[in-house]
Amino acid sequence: MAERGCPLEAVPLPAEVRESLAELELELSEGDITQKGYEKKRAKLLARCVPLIQDVHTEAVQAALAKYKERKMPMPSKRRSVLTHASVEAYTPPDLHSAPPDVTTGLVQHQHAYCERPQLASVRGVPRGCRGSVLETAGGVPVNSRVSSKIQQLLNTLKRPKRPPLKEFFVDDFEELLEVQQPDPNQPKPEGSQMAVLRGEPLAEGSWPPSLLAALQQWGTTQPKAPCLTALDTAGKAVYTLTYGKLWSRSLKLAYTLLNKLTNKNEPLLKPGDRVALVFPNSDPVMFMVAFYGCLLAELVPVPIEVPLTRKDAGSQQVGFLLGSCGVSLALTTDACQKGLPKAQTGEVVTFKGWPPLTWLVIDGKHLTKPPKDWHPAMQDAGPGTAYIEYKTSKEGSTVGVAVSHASLLAQCQALTQACGYSEAETLTNVLDFKRDAGLWHGVLTSILKRIHVVSIPYALMKANPLSWIQKVCVYKAQAALVKSRDMHWSLLAQRGQRDVSLSSLRLLIVADGANPWSISSCDAFLNVFQARGLRPEVICPCASSPEALTVAIRRPPDLGGPPPRRAVLSMSGLSHGVIRVDAEEKLSVLTVQDVGQVMPGANVCVVKVEGTPHLCKTDEVGEICVDSSATATAYYGLLGITKNVFETVPVTAGGAPVSDRPFTRTGLLGFIGPDDLVFVVGKLDGLMVVGFRRHNADDVVATALAVEPMKFVYRGRIAVFSVTVLHDDRIVLVAEQRPDASEEDSFQWMSRVLQAIDSIHQVGVYCLALVPANTLPKAPLGGIHVSETKQRFLEGMLHPCNVLMCPHTCVTNLPKPRQKQPEVGPASMIVGNLVAGKRIAQASGRELSHLEDSEQARKFLFLPDVLQWRAHTTPEHPLFLLLNAKGTVTSTATCVQLHKKAERVAAALMEKARLSAGAHVALVYPPGVDLIAAFYGCLYCGCVPVTVRPPHPQNLATTLPTVKMIVEVSKSACVLTTQAIMRLLRSKEAAATVDARTWPAILDTDDIPKKKVASIFRPPSPDVLAYLDFSVSTTGILAGVKMSHAATSALCRSIKLQCELYPSRQIAICLDPYCGLGFALWCLCSVYSGHQSVLVPPPELETNVSLWLWAVSQYKARVTFCSYSVMEMCARGLGAQTAALRMKGVNLSCVRTCMVVAEERPRIALTQSFSKLFRDLGLPARSVSTTFGCRVNVAICLQGTAGPDPTTVYVDMRALRHDRVRLVERGSPHSLPLTESGKILPGVKVIIAHTETRGPLGDSHLGEIWVSSPHNATGYYTVYGEEGLHADHFSARLSFGDTQTVWARTGFLGFLRRTELTDASGERHDALYVVGSLDETLELRGMRYHPIDIETSVIRAHRSIAECAVFTWTNLLVVVVELDGLEQDALDLVALVTNVVLEEHHLVVGVVVIVDPGVIPINSRGEKQRMHLRDGFLADQLDPIYVAYNM
């Protein structure tokens, strides 16, 4: 990558400036000056002559940047501390006097192995359906917080007018997203005539030797003293000169040893045609050359590869694939190199990752055997057999072997000799890698034909002394030199007033990468400086080559009949459409290229279209250059399919006629044929990025980036540009190594300027710009960057950048059109009987209650206090409750009579001590246990209304205490019942910091209340009297209390009893929180109603003993058990690997008939399935795990129960869901989402699916809001801030047409009903209810409805370090918060992966990516994420994130 024209050296500097620069260089290399001081002084020196030394491209970039007004882009924010959690005290407690307080701050103390997360959401009294007001004020968050201002900046950036977007790729034709490509009608089109095949000069007939080996034998025997190869050490001293005689004799020795001395079970190890790996360092050309010719003499096929230094070298695995596919089993190397290879404990060389097992042979002289006098190698004439295999790394990173036949090898050497005019005994200085490409073709192969003396300059010497090659040309009076533009550039930077250097001996300076569009500036600058030292302009000979076609074209000096050199100034915009337009006016976006000379002798060349059928291009069109010649490679070894595509292309005319009867080889070079039949190359197929309909070249983009503020913030040669496919199009990614002294702000400024420059010059957006620390990008063998490996790391999230800027908003212009809502069919649509729009109405109900049990018993059991007294009277010693602690010990029990007596005591205390009258509200603040149940019935006994409240967390008072206070206030509780310990906590100093102790109502502890009876137990006047209040915080952060009457309470218990077949003889195990919803009902109500025994396992106890719940289920042989998702997850994570140990302890779950997860959300299939699989070994029946569904308006709508068909699973199309449609698909089809039914509808419950806007009934398998009608619906909200309209809307809704009489309650959940093939207990066909998600939680983006859980699931899959994820929207931006379970320095890897996956799978652009520590995303007791609360914490800047990336 370092070969780009340096913006600084295009014009020679005045002599005195050059001298001063040279002195500075010297000071820096001696360590007399710091890098910073050097740069300062150098900048000063250059400032004087800056007008002189800007090259065209840098000027263009600077001009382009000047056109932009500096747009303010929000800087990403990075945490300075290393994992320091700001303490809870650092946050100002919420102001309790304003309207509903924001209760938590998303912070957490790590005190258990499991992350104890904030247990309650931010509580907002904002009703469903009126969310707008919250958005404007950020839910009580001051809008001028730091985060908000950054988001404002981001919005301003996004508001700038975009270029007319590329036409959308997709139109959503209701079902399928189709690709519709429409190119711009005004784009330039080629207008020239069709090109003709260009024929090179014929290959001279002459006295060529019959093969390369014959030439070697001739020189080795007739001119044994002639120098063949001189090797230098890193100081530039000649360490060894190999003569032609030595090369011949040593190659013979090696050939003899290989053929005769290597055996495997008395069979020779190798036979002619076998492949052998050559593993030699870049500093040892002598041994390499001996090995190469030794193999040829032995009729073996050498496969030169790089020396693997570690087991994890960039691309090393791919090299292993190459060796395996070539069937290599032997590797030749030197003694020194073998010693340096990593060894296993046996002392053998390790087997590298992905490599076949190899035998290593050291070929230093002492290890070889001299052949007997009468032994001669079989030297055949050059034929079609493979001579050697050169490796090539493709754009995707796969390594293939390019096979070159003996005939091609000889033809290539002859063509090069003729084109370069090599004559006998010339000297060639070679700076390139001698193992492949031009370095091999000129420096090891062609040199033999004319007995050339090659001076090989190792890469390490070039790094130490970039002038070394020029000095060697001078010392050896070399006639030819082989370099890359990088070497010319380096020598410019290092020429320290070396007046004695003369380049007058050179007649040929071959620039091997002259085809790189940016080599021209290096050539010009080099000529400017060295023309004064004898360098003649016509000596510079750029050439073009490719692994498949070998040398394609090379510029000839005039004495060899070459035409004068030319250059073309081409419009970048034209090139991006594949058209050649010479551009004189528009100075900003042009590309200047030089010719790479004429076609090779004996070759025919044409240019064909890059895509599709290889039609010949027009004369003004850019295409892929193809060559037909006897000197090209013949195949990709062992890969027939791609060989045919590349080596056997048949170009055709516009009419479809083949242009030749011989196949052509594709070169992978993009270019055109210019005047004088000169070849021009404008890029490589490997660097081609097609964005929209336009082509861009990676090298061009790199050059633009370098011209922004060259060398100040990043290293020149350490930039990689590649494209990744996201959402059906290439996206450009630029990765650079940042200098260690560049500050965060500077780097960010540089990044935003690079974006603007590329946007202006190439008219293309960069998708991602990443800076990584110095020296961390994978290196190619001889410097430069291993681009495919860099791309691989980027895609795998292994790049570890220190700065990232993503710009999906500007580059992704092919998103599907936002959805326009269609006007729905109104009430006038045909509704016939129970059909709507031709479908069965989606309505279902549980079993009829009247059929199931006598109404007498139902009447008798109408009031729970009556039931408890009756049980205490008839079965006093029957145990109702057992409470377990973490050790599995029973800490308290309650029989019917014990519970009754405890309740009486509480009632007496309430009446006498607290002087409460019937109807007063009482807050019960208890840990999970029997005391809570007794206090509840105590309240009912004296006519008070109980409100259960989760006690505050002692380690997290600032977060949890305000919620307790708020529920007490909102429920208008006249008294707080609690334990002594909690009472002390509420009145403690720590608590006073959050809530003033004087503001609590009367607090009564029930630990030591005297044994008293109540005179009379309160009997409610009617069943509709309020029994208790159920308060809960929804996931959207709204605190809602619902009223439960005595009638609803007993109806709820009755339905659960019938569904789960609960009788006094049954035992069930409950591991749930007892504070609200179904958890409260199961814990406090059902046992008293049905008389079964409940084994109570408080979830907090699982933090010290994860297996407690499963142990209890097994110990008490519970047929029915209930848990929450958080409990299930804890067991799956904590016990997954311990099933064998549990079995040893006697845990056996075969007794379980049904294990139900209590939840108010879409069933989490992945978790329930993995739980079933994990504990199958303990006897857990596969069918037993199921889920329940309830919500605020009705806490139990569905429960699997013990009878009825198993829950069914369907797969729906996720894209259709976004459009509020249900489309059933097959399992495993793309975009499919599994949904499982949420248990069976309870007896007495009716469910219908209603349209969310028109409120009309919907048909079977249509998505709408689930409405419910049942005797145990709650009777209404208890003051959500006096929202009367809301009460009517949620609890007494009626359909807009059809059955308009029934009163329904709206659940606020989206779902659908589907009639299945199964039959239920009554013999009817079974209707399954599928819950899709909460309506309040959905995100309305681009006119579509997204469920956060779907986006989060995709994100969690994106990288193994993402532990948890939550998404929310803020001012129409999608914000993704991910918890990083890994090292902080890996945090930035996640930004691109998260953005990619959301774009690919959901067609959404992520606005902000926030990376936080594990445990920051707040989760409530039911295991649900509190996303709104998280949003408030983010906007108030309270998350202490590791990194926040604002995507442009």
Side-chain angles (χ1 to χ4, degrees):
M1 287 285 163
E3 296 88 10
R4 307 300 171 317
C6 168
L8 289 182
E9 278 75 29
V11 179
L13 301 172
E16 68 278 7
V17 175
R18 287 213 301 268
E19 303 245 322
S20 312
L21 277 178
E23 280 163 23
L24 262 185
E25 290 275 353
L26 196 62
E27 282 181 42
L28 180 65
S29 63
E30 304 290 340
D32 299 338
I33 184 172
T34 65
Q35 179 76 24
K36 229 178 188 157
Y38 162 74
E39 280 173 7
K40 228 181 191 163
K41 287 189 172 174
R42 183 168 181 267
K44 254 193 195 149
L45 279 171
L46 294 176
R48 281 184 258 158
C49 40
V50 149
L52 302 174
I53 59 170
Q54 294 283 47
D55 80 357
V56 182
H57 196 65
T58 309
E59 284 175 36
V61 168
Q62 302 304 344
L65 287 174
K67 285 205 309 195
Y68 271 89
K69 286 202 295 293
E70 276 287 325
R71 288 207 319 276
K72 194 82 179 111
M73 294 193 179
M75 268 271 299
S77 57
K78 196 183 270 188
R79 181 196 289 170
R80 290 273 166 257
S81 64
V82 177
L83 272 159
T84 53
H85 260 296
S87 64
V88 173
E89 288 76 33
Y91 293 106
T92 41
D95 175 17
L96 281 176
H97 306 297
S98 56
D102 183 6
V103 193
T104 25
T105 58
L107 285 163
V108 64
Q109 305 283 333
H110 293 278
Q111 82 233 48
H112 301 300
Y114 297 92
C115 288
E116 162 72 34
R117 293 168 181 263
Q119 285 287 318
L120 267 177
S122 74
V123 176
R124 282 200 216 83
V126 181
R128 180 153 82 231
C130 347
R131 296 260 291 282
S133 58
V134 182
L135 272 178
E136 275 81 54
T137 60
V141 173
V143 177
N144 61 0
S145 82
R146 199 174 76 193
V147 175
S148 311
S149 59
K150 288 210 173 159
I151 291 183
Q152 206 40 60
Q153 255 180 40
L154 177 52
L155 287 172
N156 296 342
T157 311
L158 299 180
K159 275 183 198 140
R160 79 183 171 100
K162 273 197 355 203
R163 282 190 298 283
L166 302 172
K167 274 285 176 270
E168 276 83 353
F169 258 32
F170 307 109
V171 293
D172 179 10
D173 74 67
F174 194 74
E175 292 293 338
E176 219 39 64
L177 291 164
L178 295 182
E179 273 183 41
V180 179
Q181 296 208 345
Q182 281 150 346
D184 175 7
N186 304 323
Q187 71 179 45
K189 299 198 169 52
E191 293 150 7
S193 57
Q194 181 176 298
M195 73 161 297
V197 174
L198 178 61
R199 306 194 184 280
E201 63 191 79
L203 201 55
E205 295 297 323
S207 53
W208 298 110
S211 72
L212 207 51
L213 293 175
L216 173 61
Q217 183 175 23
Q218 178 196 342
W219 301 126
T221 49
T222 62
Q223 299 272 356
K225 294 273 189 293
C228 167
L229 179 68
T230 297
L232 306 175
D233 64 9
T234 47
K237 245 177 54 225
V239 278
Y240 187 81
T241 295
L242 180 72
T243 60
Y244 276 91
K246 275 276 181 231
L247 175 59
W248 173 245
S249 63
R250 288 170 68 179
S251 302
L252 275 179
K253 260 170 95 172
L254 176 59
Y256 178 73
T257 307
L258 289 172
L259 289 177
N260 299 291
K261 295 295 167 190
L262 301 178
T263 56
N264 177 14
K265 301 185 182 136
N266 297 332
E267 288 286 306
L269 185 66
L270 299 165
K271 43 189 194 308
D274 280 356
R275 275 75 53 209
V276 175
L278 269 47
V279 186
F280 293 88
N282 289 310
S283 54
D284 200 345
V286 172
M287 294 302 269
F288 174 80
M289 204 161 177
V290 169
F292 195 92
Y293 283 105
C295 286
L296 293 187
L297 283 169
E299 294 183 309
L300 300 169
V301 178
V303 185
I305 58 169
E306 304 305 329
V307 178
L309 299 177
T310 65
R311 299 193 67 162
K312 288 203 183 81
D313 271 9
S316 159
Q317 206 167 340
Q318 291 296 338
V319 174
F321 168 74
L322 166 74
L323 297 178
S325 62
C326 292
V328 172
S329 59
L330 178 72
L332 307 184
T333 187
T334 63
D335 206 16
C337 180
Q338 203 261 359
K339 288 198 172 97
L341 291 173
K343 306 285 188 302
Q345 278 149 348
T346 54
E348 299 285 308
V349 176
V350 295
T351 300
F352 296 96
K353 192 174 175 192
W355 284 37
L358 295 179
T359 308
W360 291 81
L361 178 68
V362 172
I363 62 156
D364 296 49
K366 56 179 185 281
H367 298 282
L368 302 182
T369 314
K370 199 169 177 186
K373 289 268 189 296
D374 55 351
W375 183 82
H376 296 291
M379 286 179 25
Q380 297 160 336
D381 288 354
T386 301
Y388 75 95
I389 294 173
E390 185 171 320
Y391 78 86
K392 170 206 170 183
T393 304
S394 75
K395 185 178 179 179
E396 281 69 47
S398 55
T399 300
V400 291
V402 179
V404 180
S405 70
H406 287 279
S408 301
L409 176 59
L410 184 62
Q412 173 72 10
C413 293
Q414 291 167 347
L416 280 176
T417 303
Q418 183 173 331
C420 300
Y422 284 133
S423 55
E424 206 171 298
E426 281 192 305
T427 304
L428 165 77
T429 312
N430 177 20
V431 188
L432 304 188
D433 180 3
F434 50 77
K435 296 194 289 298
R436 55 193 296 230
D437 219 61
L440 174 69
W441 309 330
H442 289 264
V444 175
L445 305 174
T446 307
S447 58
I448 297 289
L449 277 187
K450 289 286 182 187
R451 193 165 59 79
I452 290 172
H453 175 201
V454 178
V455 180
S456 187
I457 316 263
Y459 176 65
L461 169 58
M462 278 299 289
K463 278 177 80 174
N465 172 13
L467 271 181
S468 52
W469 72 272
I470 296 178
Q471 291 159 354
K472 295 305 163 202
V473 167
C474 194
V475 169
Y476 287 94
K477 300 271 180 294
Q479 289 81 11
L482 185 59
V483 297
K484 278 191 169 181
S485 48
R486 172 184 67 194
D487 308 318
M488 299 162 82
H489 174 78
W490 280 3
S491 52
L492 279 177
L493 293 178
Q495 42 109 7
R496 303 200 180 109
Q498 296 248 344
R499 288 189 184 77
D500 52 345
V501 168
S502 162
L503 295 178
S504 55
S505 65
L506 274 186
R507 63 171 194 82
L508 204 60
L509 174 58
I510 301 168
V511 185
D513 60 347
N516 180 327
W518 299 99
S519 63
I520 183 168
S521 58
S522 288
C523 292
D524 288 354
F526 188 78
L527 181 61
N528 275 330
V529 171
F530 286 99
Q531 203 161 356
R533 316 274 175 82
L535 180 70
R536 303 190 304 283
E538 64 273 14
V539 164
I540 295 179
C541 296
C543 72
S545 62
S546 84
E548 292 81 3
L550 309 188
T551 310
V552 176
I554 186 164
R555 195 188 286 172
R556 321 278 159 73
D559 56 333
L560 292 175
R566 298 213 177 220
R567 52 185 57 191
V569 182
L570 306 174
S571 146
M572 249 339 163
S573 160
L575 283 177
S576 74
H577 291 290
V579 178
I580 297 150
R581 291 285 175 268
V582 175
D583 201 323
E585 300 79 52
E586 177 58 60
K587 197 175 172 195
L588 281 191
S589 48
V590 293
L591 176 67
T592 308
V593 288
Q594 60 185 351
D595 70 276
V596 288
Q598 293 165 299
V599 180
M600 291 293 282
N604 298 327
V605 164
C606 65
V607 181
V608 301
K609 293 199 185 318
V610 177
E611 280 115 22
T613 315
H615 284 290
L616 286 181
C617 286
K618 295 185 171 161
T619 49
D620 61 344
E621 191 175 1
V622 174
E624 184 176 4
I625 298 172
C626 295
V627 178
D628 153 33
S629 148
S630 56
T632 60
T634 47
Y636 289 131
Y637 192 88
L639 302 168
L640 298 174
I642 54 173
T643 290
K644 195 160 180 54
N645 291 345
V646 172
F647 293 93
E648 296 168 33
T649 293
V650 180
V652 291
T653 60
V659 298
S660 156
D661 50 359
R662 290 171 48 103
F664 279 66
T665 297
R666 286 179 178 266
T667 61
L669 299 173
L670 300 174
F672 60 95
I673 308 298
D676 291 338
D677 289 347
L678 290 172
V679 179
F680 286 85
V681 175
V682 294
K684 292 194 176 79
L685 209 52
D686 272 0
L688 188 67
M689 304 179 290
V690 184
V691 181
F693 290 91
R694 297 176 53 210
R695 306 179 192 163
H696 304 276
N697 201 317
D699 287 340
D700 301 354
V701 177
V702 170
T704 302
L706 282 174
V708 172
E709 277 161 287
M711 276 48 85
K712 224 181 200 169
F713 305 113
V714 298
Y715 290 102
R716 177 188 177 77
R718 317 283 303 141
I719 294 189
V721 168
F722 50 87
S723 63
V724 295
T725 305
V726 181
L727 200 63
H728 308 281
D729 203 353
D730 276 4
R731 312 284 174 200
I732 296 178
V733 179
L734 192 153
V735 182
E737 284 189 4
Q738 179 177 328
R739 288 182 178 270
D741 48 0
S743 77
E744 199 93 352
E745 270 77 14
D746 289 346
S747 300
F748 186 72
Q749 259 2 91
W750 181 81
M751 288 161 92
S752 31
R753 288 171 69 91
V754 166
L755 293 177
Q756 290 163 6
I758 293 172
D759 187 67
S760 180
I761 285 178
H762 303 273
Q763 277 98 50
V764 68
V766 174
Y767 177 67
C768 174
L769 208 164
L771 296 184
V772 299
N775 274 323
T776 56
L777 285 180
K779 291 187 177 62
L782 288 186
I785 285 180
H786 201 295
V787 180
S788 56
E789 180 82 7
T790 305
K791 173 175 173 175
Q792 200 50 40
R793 288 190 190 177
F794 172 79
L795 290 172
E796 288 171 358
M798 301 295 286
L799 202 55
H800 311 329
C802 49
N803 258 318
V804 168
L805 193 51
M806 298 281 302
C807 309
H809 291 281
T810 38
C811 352
V812 180
T813 50
N814 63 335
L815 285 168
K817 288 193 177 76
R819 169 190 178 205
Q820 256 72 53
K821 291 246 170 87
Q822 303 298 325
E824 290 291 342
V825 187
S829 79
M830 290 295 290
I831 178 158
V832 185
N834 65 347
L835 294 181
V836 59
K839 288 252 183 154
R840 193 183 70 80
I841 286 186
Q843 189 169 357
S845 49
R847 295 174 289 172
E848 289 286 333
L849 280 172
S850 50
H851 302 169
L852 291 173
E853 60 173 10
D854 58 353
S855 44
E856 183 52 46
Q857 191 192 359
R859 253 202 316 282
K860 192 166 74 192
F861 277 23
L862 205 49
F863 299 106
L864 275 178
D866 296 359
V867 180
L868 180 56
Q869 291 171 71
W870 175 75
R871 290 204 183 281
H873 185 68
T874 53
T875 55
E877 297 311 315
H878 177 68
L880 287 178
F881 299 103
L882 289 177
L883 181 75
L884 301 181
N885 67 6
K887 295 195 175 99
T889 324
V890 177
T891 50
S892 57
T893 58
T895 60
C896 300
V897 71
Q898 283 169 335
L899 186 61
H900 167 65
K901 286 186 172 157
K902 275 189 177 168
E904 279 196 316
R905 274 189 236 165
V906 172
L910 281 173
M911 284 153 75
E912 290 167 19
K913 276 197 188 170
R915 306 198 181 289
L916 294 185
S917 51
H921 295 184
V922 178
L924 312 181
V925 186
Y926 285 92
V930 175
D931 288 349
L932 172 70
I933 303 167
F936 175 80
Y937 286 100
C939 291
L940 296 188
Y941 275 10
C942 66
C944 291
V945 177
V947 184
T948 46
V949 186
R950 173 193 308 281
H953 198 297
Q955 270 83 43
N956 212 353
L957 282 177
T959 309
T960 51
L961 192 59
T963 313
V964 177
K965 180 75 172 78
M966 191 172 190
I967 296 176
V968 170
E969 263 178 21
V970 173
S971 65
K972 304 198 172 85
S973 295
C975 167
V976 175
L977 282 186
T978 182
T979 63
Q980 267 173 14
I982 292 173
M983 185 162 92
R984 278 200 297 276
L985 183 65
L986 295 181
R987 291 183 170 156
S988 67
K989 251 198 223 130
E990 294 77 21
T994 311
V995 174
D996 185 351
R998 291 169 300 194
T999 59
W1000 292 103
I1003 303 179
L1004 215 64
D1005 86 80
T1006 54
D1007 287 2
D1008 303 318
I1009 41 178
K1011 293 187 177 174
K1012 272 200 176 169
K1013 273 193 175 177
V1014 261
S1016 67
I1017 285 175
F1018 176 80
R1019 174 88 199 227
S1022 100
D1024 297 328
V1025 168
L1026 185 59
Y1028 69 95
L1029 291 178
D1030 181 334
F1031 272 89
S1032 149
V1033 178
S1034 76
T1035 49
T1036 48
I1038 295 166
L1039 175 69
V1042 291
K1043 301 188 277 198
M1044 287 292 282
S1045 66
H1046 282 278
T1049 307
S1050 60
L1052 171 66
C1053 294
R1054 185 162 93 230
S1055 286
I1056 295 173
K1057 172 189 167 177
L1058 295 168
Q1059 192 80 331
C1060 299
E1061 300 176 359
L1062 299 175
Y1063 311 112
S1065 56
R1066 284 275 151 84
Q1067 275 189 326
I1068 71 169
I1070 301 170
C1071 188
L1072 291 169
D1073 273 319
Y1075 300 107
C1076 60
L1078 186 54
F1080 165 78
L1082 290 164
W1083 189 286
C1084 295
L1085 310 175
C1086 292
S1087 271
V1088 170
Y1089 186 91
S1090 313
H1092 61 269
Q1093 184 180 349
S1094 296
V1095 179
L1096 306 176
V1097 181
E1101 301 290 349
L1102 264 67
E1103 284 170 5
T1104 36
N1105 175 7
V1106 194
S1107 59
L1108 176 65
W1109 167 54
L1110 296 180
W1111 175 86
V1113 168
S1114 157
Q1115 189 70 19
Y1116 291 94
K1117 302 216 175 355
R1119 277 172 52 121
V1120 176
T1121 179
F1122 293 89
C1123 70
S1124 64
Y1125 278 124
S1126 21
V1127 166
M1128 190 167 265
E1129 193 163 22
M1130 226 184 235
C1131 291
R1133 280 198 181 154
L1135 299 173
Q1138 300 176 26
T1139 47
L1142 290 173
R1143 203 166 42 243
M1144 298 290 287
K1145 286 186 187 160
V1147 175
N1148 179 358
L1149 303 178
S1150 54
C1151 53
V1152 178
R1153 280 280 296 281
T1154 177
C1155 163
M1156 285 171 273
V1157 189
V1158 172
E1160 300 185 7
E1161 58 177 302
R1162 176 200 302 175
R1164 300 189 201 172
I1165 298 192
L1167 179 55
T1168 52
Q1169 285 181 344
S1170 62
F1171 180 82
S1172 295
K1173 276 194 193 125
L1174 281 173
F1175 298 107
R1176 197 168 47 198
D1177 294 355
L1178 297 179
L1180 183 70
R1183 312 159 33 160
S1184 60
V1185 180
S1186 64
T1187 57
T1188 69
F1189 172 60
C1191 60
R1192 288 285 68 203
V1193 297
N1194 184 324
V1195 298
I1197 297 169
C1198 298
L1199 259 174
Q1200 181 60 31
T1202 45
D1206 287 340
T1208 53
T1209 299
V1210 293
Y1211 292 83
V1212 297
D1213 186 330
M1214 205 187 304
R1215 292 168 307 176
L1217 273 189
R1218 292 171 204 155
H1219 294 259
D1220 286 342
R1221 296 196 302 270
V1222 175
R1223 180 165 159 234
L1224 298 179
V1225 292
E1226 291 299 314
R1227 175 181 180 171
S1229 60
H1231 310 287
S1232 64
L1233 174 74
L1235 293 175
T1236 190
E1237 104 187 70
S1238 298
K1240 302 289 166 281
I1241 297 172
L1242 282 167
V1245 176
K1246 282 201 325 210
V1247 167
I1248 195 164
I1249 306 295
H1251 192 285
T1252 48
E1253 277 145 24
T1254 65
R1255 303 199 176 187
L1258 288 173
D1260 190 86
S1261 296
H1262 277 56
L1263 188 70
E1265 187 180 6
I1266 301 168
W1267 288 13
V1268 60
S1269 160
S1270 116
H1272 64 255
N1273 275 8
T1275 46
Y1277 285 125
Y1278 182 77
T1279 111
V1280 176
Y1281 300 99
E1283 286 283 343
E1284 294 313 314
L1286 197 69
H1287 169 89
D1289 185 40
H1290 285 188
F1291 287 92
S1292 36
R1294 292 171 195 265
L1295 291 171
S1296 57
F1297 59 97
D1299 166 14
T1300 52
Q1301 295 313 304
T1302 313
V1303 175
W1304 301 88
R1306 295 175 54 192
T1307 62
F1309 279 82
L1310 284 172
F1312 60 95
L1313 277 164
R1314 181 170 165 269
R1315 179 148 279 186
T1316 65
E1317 298 301 314
L1318 307 168
T1319 49
D1320 57 27
S1322 57
E1324 296 289 310
R1325 286 211 13 225
H1326 168 64
D1327 291 308
L1329 174 65
Y1330 298 93
V1331 177
V1332 175
S1334 157
L1335 205 52
D1336 277 357
E1337 290 252 293
T1338 55
L1339 312 173
E1340 286 271 342
L1341 291 162
R1342 301 178 56 75
M1344 289 175 279
R1345 200 194 298 276
Y1346 287 86
H1347 293 273
I1349 185 70
D1350 296 328
I1351 301 175
E1352 287 157 3
T1353 306
S1354 300
V1355 169
I1356 288 172
R1357 271 205 324 267
H1359 193 271
R1360 61 173 183 281
S1361 333
I1362 299 178
E1364 187 53 275
C1365 163
V1367 301
F1368 52 83
T1369 51
W1370 172 243
T1371 57
N1372 286 338
L1373 288 177
L1374 178 64
V1375 181
V1376 178
V1377 181
V1378 292
E1379 290 184 355
L1380 170 74
D1381 181 14
L1383 301 171
E1384 266 194 30
Q1385 57 262 39
D1386 304 351
L1388 277 75
D1389 282 318
L1390 305 181
V1391 178
L1393 295 181
V1394 166
T1395 308
N1396 291 358
V1397 77
V1398 176
L1399 254 174
E1400 279 282 3
E1401 298 187 8
H1402 303 279
H1403 304 165
L1404 289 176
V1405 177
V1406 176
V1408 186
V1409 181
V1410 187
I1411 299 166
V1412 295
D1413 297 307
V1416 168
I1417 295 173
I1419 284 187
N1420 67 13
S1421 59
R1422 293 188 295 273
E1424 297 160 344
K1425 294 171 198 166
Q1426 308 287 64
R1427 298 180 184 92
M1428 289 306 120
H1429 166 53
L1430 180 69
R1431 185 180 83 172
D1432 293 351
F1434 168 64
L1435 293 169
D1437 227 1
Q1438 295 172 337
L1439 300 184
D1440 186 25
I1442 298 169
Y1443 192 80
V1444 182
Y1446 299 93
N1447 286 347
M1448 298 296 147

